[in-house]
PDB file of all heavy atoms in Angstrom:
ATOM      1  N   GLU J 169      -0.968  16.599   5.709  1.00  0.00           N
ATOM      2  CA  GLU J 169      -2.395  16.275   5.703  1.00  0.00           C
ATOM      3  C   GLU J 169      -2.661  14.979   6.464  1.00  0.00           C
ATOM      4  O   GLU J 169      -3.692  14.841   7.137  1.00  0.00           O
ATOM      5  CB  GLU J 169      -2.896  16.173   4.271  1.00  0.00           C
ATOM      6  CG  GLU J 169      -2.901  17.500   3.527  1.00  0.00           C
ATOM      7  CD  GLU J 169      -3.346  17.366   2.086  1.00  0.00           C
ATOM      8  OE1 GLU J 169      -3.795  16.261   1.696  1.00  0.00           O
ATOM      9  OE2 GLU J 169      -3.231  18.353   1.340  1.00  0.00           O
ATOM     10  N   ASP J 170      -1.741  14.035   6.367  1.00  0.00           N
ATOM     11  CA  ASP J 170      -1.892  12.775   7.093  1.00  0.00           C
ATOM     12  C   ASP J 170      -1.902  13.008   8.605  1.00  0.00           C
ATOM     13  O   ASP J 170      -2.701  12.420   9.334  1.00  0.00           O
ATOM     14  CB  ASP J 170      -0.761  11.811   6.729  1.00  0.00           C
ATOM     15  CG  ASP J 170      -0.765  11.416   5.268  1.00  0.00           C
ATOM     16  OD1 ASP J 170      -1.811  11.572   4.616  1.00  0.00           O
ATOM     17  OD2 ASP J 170       0.287  10.953   4.788  1.00  0.00           O
ATOM     18  N   ILE J 171      -1.001  13.846   9.070  1.00  0.00           N
ATOM     19  CA  ILE J 171      -0.930  14.150  10.500  1.00  0.00           C
ATOM     20  C   ILE J 171      -2.216  14.809  10.967  1.00  0.00           C
ATOM     21  O   ILE J 171      -2.786  14.448  12.007  1.00  0.00           O
ATOM     22  CB  ILE J 171       0.288  15.062  10.781  1.00  0.00           C
ATOM     23  CG1 ILE J 171       1.594  14.273  10.562  1.00  0.00           C
ATOM     24  CG2 ILE J 171       0.226  15.624  12.203  1.00  0.00           C
ATOM     25  CD1 ILE J 171       2.824  15.154  10.473  1.00  0.00           C
ATOM     26  N   GLU J 172      -2.709  15.757  10.178  1.00  0.00           N
ATOM     27  CA  GLU J 172      -3.974  16.420  10.520  1.00  0.00           C
ATOM     28  C   GLU J 172      -5.115  15.409  10.586  1.00  0.00           C
ATOM     29  O   GLU J 172      -5.954  15.443  11.503  1.00  0.00           O
ATOM     30  CB  GLU J 172      -4.289  17.500   9.484  1.00  0.00           C
ATOM     31  CG  GLU J 172      -5.618  18.209   9.729  1.00  0.00           C
ATOM     32  CD  GLU J 172      -6.049  19.095   8.567  1.00  0.00           C
ATOM     33  OE1 GLU J 172      -5.339  19.135   7.542  1.00  0.00           O
ATOM     34  OE2 GLU J 172      -7.112  19.729   8.687  1.00  0.00           O
ATOM     35  N   LEU J 173      -5.146  14.498   9.623  1.00  0.00           N
ATOM     36  CA  LEU J 173      -6.214  13.497   9.577  1.00  0.00           C
ATOM     37  C   LEU J 173      -6.182  12.597  10.807  1.00  0.00           C
ATOM     38  O   LEU J 173      -7.221  12.358  11.443  1.00  0.00           O
ATOM     39  CB  LEU J 173      -6.069  12.659   8.305  1.00  0.00           C
ATOM     40  CG  LEU J 173      -7.006  11.454   8.167  1.00  0.00           C
ATOM     41  CD1 LEU J 173      -8.462  11.886   8.219  1.00  0.00           C
ATOM     42  CD2 LEU J 173      -6.707  10.694   6.875  1.00  0.00           C
ATOM     43  N   ILE J 174      -5.013  12.081  11.150  1.00  0.00           N
ATOM     44  CA  ILE J 174      -4.908  11.168  12.287  1.00  0.00           C
ATOM     45  C   ILE J 174      -5.305  11.873  13.587  1.00  0.00           C
ATOM     46  O   ILE J 174      -6.030  11.308  14.427  1.00  0.00           O
ATOM     47  CB  ILE J 174      -3.491  10.591  12.390  1.00  0.00           C
ATOM     48  CG1 ILE J 174      -3.188   9.702  11.181  1.00  0.00           C
ATOM     49  CG2 ILE J 174      -3.318   9.802  13.689  1.00  0.00           C
ATOM     50  CD1 ILE J 174      -4.126   8.527  11.005  1.00  0.00           C
ATOM     51  N   LYS J 175      -4.871  13.090  13.757  1.00  0.00           N
ATOM     52  CA  LYS J 175      -5.238  13.838  14.965  1.00  0.00           C
ATOM     53  C   LYS J 175      -6.744  14.056  15.045  1.00  0.00           C
ATOM     54  O   LYS J 175      -7.354  13.911  16.112  1.00  0.00           O
ATOM     55  CB  LYS J 175      -4.498  15.170  15.001  1.00  0.00           C
ATOM     56  CG  LYS J 175      -3.013  15.053  15.297  1.00  0.00           C
ATOM     57  CD  LYS J 175      -2.347  16.424  15.337  1.00  0.00           C
ATOM     58  CE  LYS J 175      -0.887  16.326  15.758  1.00  0.00           C
ATOM     59  NZ  LYS J 175      -0.223  17.658  15.775  1.00  0.00           N
ATOM     60  N   ASN J 176      -7.349  14.397  13.916  1.00  0.00           N
ATOM     61  CA  ASN J 176      -8.802  14.613  13.896  1.00  0.00           C
ATOM     62  C   ASN J 176      -9.568  13.321  14.130  1.00  0.00           C
ATOM     63  O   ASN J 176     -10.579  13.309  14.844  1.00  0.00           O
ATOM     64  CB  ASN J 176      -9.217  15.244  12.564  1.00  0.00           C
ATOM     65  CG  ASN J 176      -9.077  16.749  12.537  1.00  0.00           C
ATOM     66  OD1 ASN J 176      -9.970  17.475  12.972  1.00  0.00           O
ATOM     67  ND2 ASN J 176      -7.945  17.226  12.038  1.00  0.00           N
ATOM     68  N   LEU J 177      -9.102  12.235  13.533  1.00  0.00           N
ATOM     69  CA  LEU J 177      -9.773  10.951  13.740  1.00  0.00           C
ATOM     70  C   LEU J 177      -9.701  10.525  15.200  1.00  0.00           C
ATOM     71  O   LEU J 177     -10.699  10.076  15.777  1.00  0.00           O
ATOM     72  CB  LEU J 177      -9.146   9.875  12.853  1.00  0.00           C
ATOM     73  CG  LEU J 177      -9.524   9.909  11.382  1.00  0.00           C
ATOM     74  CD1 LEU J 177      -8.644   8.960  10.577  1.00  0.00           C
ATOM     75  CD2 LEU J 177     -11.000   9.549  11.189  1.00  0.00           C
ATOM     76  N   ARG J 178      -8.529  10.664  15.804  1.00  0.00           N
ATOM     77  CA  ARG J 178      -8.414  10.290  17.216  1.00  0.00           C
ATOM     78  C   ARG J 178      -9.337  11.139  18.081  1.00  0.00           C
ATOM     79  O   ARG J 178      -9.997  10.640  18.998  1.00  0.00           O
ATOM     80  CB  ARG J 178      -6.954  10.425  17.665  1.00  0.00           C
ATOM     81  CG  ARG J 178      -6.726  10.136  19.136  1.00  0.00           C
ATOM     82  CD  ARG J 178      -7.283   8.771  19.546  1.00  0.00           C
ATOM     83  NE  ARG J 178      -6.491   7.671  19.041  1.00  0.00           N
ATOM     84  CZ  ARG J 178      -6.974   6.468  18.801  1.00  0.00           C
ATOM     85  NH1 ARG J 178      -8.261   6.198  18.998  1.00  0.00           N
ATOM     86  NH2 ARG J 178      -6.206   5.495  18.349  1.00  0.00           N
ATOM     87  N   ASP J 179      -9.412  12.409  17.776  1.00  0.00           N
ATOM     88  CA  ASP J 179     -10.273  13.310  18.556  1.00  0.00           C
ATOM     89  C   ASP J 179     -11.745  12.931  18.420  1.00  0.00           C
ATOM     90  O   ASP J 179     -12.490  12.902  19.410  1.00  0.00           O
ATOM     91  CB  ASP J 179     -10.050  14.753  18.098  1.00  0.00           C
ATOM     92  CG  ASP J 179     -10.894  15.748  18.869  1.00  0.00           C
ATOM     93  OD1 ASP J 179     -10.756  15.814  20.110  1.00  0.00           O
ATOM     94  OD2 ASP J 179     -11.710  16.451  18.236  1.00  0.00           O
TER      95      ASP J 179
END
Side-chain angles (χ1 to χ4, degrees):
E169 292 178 8
D170 297 341
I171 291 166
E172 178 191 2
L173 173 59
I174 294 301
K175 288 181 175 179
N176 275 275
L177 284 170
R178 177 54 73 207
D179 181 59

